[in-house]
Amino acid sequence: MSTAMPFAADGALLSEVTAAVKTAGVTLRDRYTSHAGGVSLDEVVGEIHANDDAVLDVLREPLLRSRPGSQWAEDELAGGALPPGEWWVVDPAEGNINHVHGMEDWAVTATLVRDNLPVLTVVHLPLTGDTYTAVAGGGARLNDRPLKVSAKTDLGAALTGTGQAKPGEDERTFRRIGDSVTAMLINGLVVRVSVPATMQLIHVAAGRMDAFWQFSDVRSGLVAGALLVSEAGGTVTDLAGEPWSTAGRDFLAAAPGIHPSALKVLAPIA
């Protein structure tokens, strides 16, 4: 993924955005229990919406205020290109389904997208206190430590991952997910299939995983991880091998030594 040259203002903005996301993380953490809540679909969906609303109540205005003239991408599950300009793409509870089931893989994310490329991101994990940040051209960090992707070059030794982007994807997408998992199980070492995307992409950026792919353009699950992986030295493209942006229909982020072989396996399925 190519990124725009860093603006000095982006770096200055990072601390303000980080503070806002961490504050929102307290709200989400206080709503968390280590056991599952709702039983019916309506109850589960109700809990998910309540989490989103509670976090957005404390996150939306500080982010818009921090960047005068920026706009807000309203639909969390939307994909495709955004109009020109600066947009906040936020997931108030990335991994919300995990949160409401008492699991620990969830976060609060906020990403500034400029002309369809992410230029600043904060991913905060309230249960651990860890915060992943990146600014285009300025590198990626976990707390105060720089991130670097895996040095692997052998797909046969690679830990890779994928998952669905949202409930209710079409049957063709589900079949492609299944076919891709089979193909990567044959060609790779181990495949993780889980949600949300961001919680796998932070592992790619940190060198713990070697690649992540997805047959979807749900931008809120990809923009943060795309910037983190790219700034940590990884390669981010669509499954045709072209540089990724929010206009992309599918997604692959990988260590540079793994990317070509992963693309060779996945491209025919895409």
Side-chain angles (χ1 to χ4, degrees), residues 4-24:
M5 291 296 290
F7 291 179
D10 293 340
L13 180 64
L14 183 61
S15 61
E16 192 172 350
V17 176
T18 300
V21 172
K22 285 184 175 181
T23 298

Side-chain angles (χ1 to χ4, degrees), residues 141-165:
R141 306 182 74 85
L142 166 55
N143 302 325
D144 293 324
R145 178 173 64 82
L147 293 176
K148 186 173 179 59
V149 295
S150 165
K152 286 182 186 173
T153 59
D154 178 10
L155 185 61
L159 170 57
T160 65
T162 190
Q164 69 188 88

Side-chain angles (χ1 to χ4, degrees), residues 218-266:
V218 176
R219 66 176 84 92
S220 66
L222 299 175
V223 288
L227 184 58
L228 285 163
V229 172
S230 178
E231 289 298 318
T235 304
V236 183
T237 68
D238 61 22
L239 290 175
E242 297 298 321
W244 182 84
S245 76
T246 57
R249 293 187 302 173
D250 41 43
F251 179 90
L252 172 62
I258 295 295
H259 185 273
S261 51
L263 187 62
K264 184 177 180 180
V265 170
L266 297 168

Side-chain angles (χ1 to χ4, degrees), residues 20-219:
V21 172
K22 285 184 175 181
T23 298
V26 173
T27 296
L28 190 59
R29 185 189 66 202
D30 289 347
R31 298 179 61 82
Y32 173 72
T33 64
S34 58
H35 60 271
V39 176
S40 70
L41 177 59
D42 286 345
E43 289 170 335
V44 170
V45 171
E47 291 181 4
I48 286 172
H49 288 324
N51 280 344
D52 284 343
D53 292 343
V55 174
L56 289 174
D57 279 347
V58 298
L59 183 58
R60 178 178 177 132
E61 289 308 316
L63 290 182
L64 288 171
R65 189 169 57 246
S66 73
R67 196 66 167 178
S70 62
Q71 301 177 78
W72 193 270
E74 294 288 350
D75 187 352
E76 178 187 320
L77 295 178
L82 290 160
E86 292 189 337
W87 293 81
W88 288 107
V89 177
V90 171
D91 197 321
E94 170 72 331
N96 211 340
I97 192 69
N98 296 338
H99 184 287
V100 303
H101 283 87
M103 300 171 69
E104 299 181 354
D105 289 347
W106 47 271
V108 180
T109 78
T111 304
L112 183 64
V113 174
R114 179 181 298 130
D115 297 331
N116 285 300
L117 291 174
V119 296
L120 178 151
T121 195
V122 176
V123 177
H124 179 60
L125 283 57
L127 288 184
T128 66
D130 285 335
T131 305
Y132 294 79
T133 60
V135 175
R141 306 182 74 85
L142 166 55
N143 302 325
D144 293 324
R145 178 173 64 82
L147 293 176
K148 186 173 179 59
V149 295
S150 165
K152 286 182 186 173
T153 59
D154 178 10
L155 185 61
L159 170 57
T160 65
T162 190
Q164 69 188 88
K166 60 182 178 181
E169 296 270 20
D170 61 86
E171 183 178 346
R172 181 169 179 265
T173 297
F174 288 144
R175 291 191 181 281
R176 286 193 295 175
I177 293 171
D179 290 345
S180 69
V181 169
T182 299
M184 198 61 80
L185 285 168
I186 293 168
N187 290 276
L189 180 63
V190 173
V191 179
R192 296 182 63 186
V193 182
S194 65
V195 294
T198 302
M199 299 302 286
Q200 296 200 65
L201 285 163
I202 60 175
H203 292 313
V204 178
R208 306 181 196 112
M209 287 176 59
D210 304 297
F212 173 84
W213 74 94
Q214 194 169 83
F215 297 103
S216 173
D217 62 351
V218 176
R219 66 176 84 92

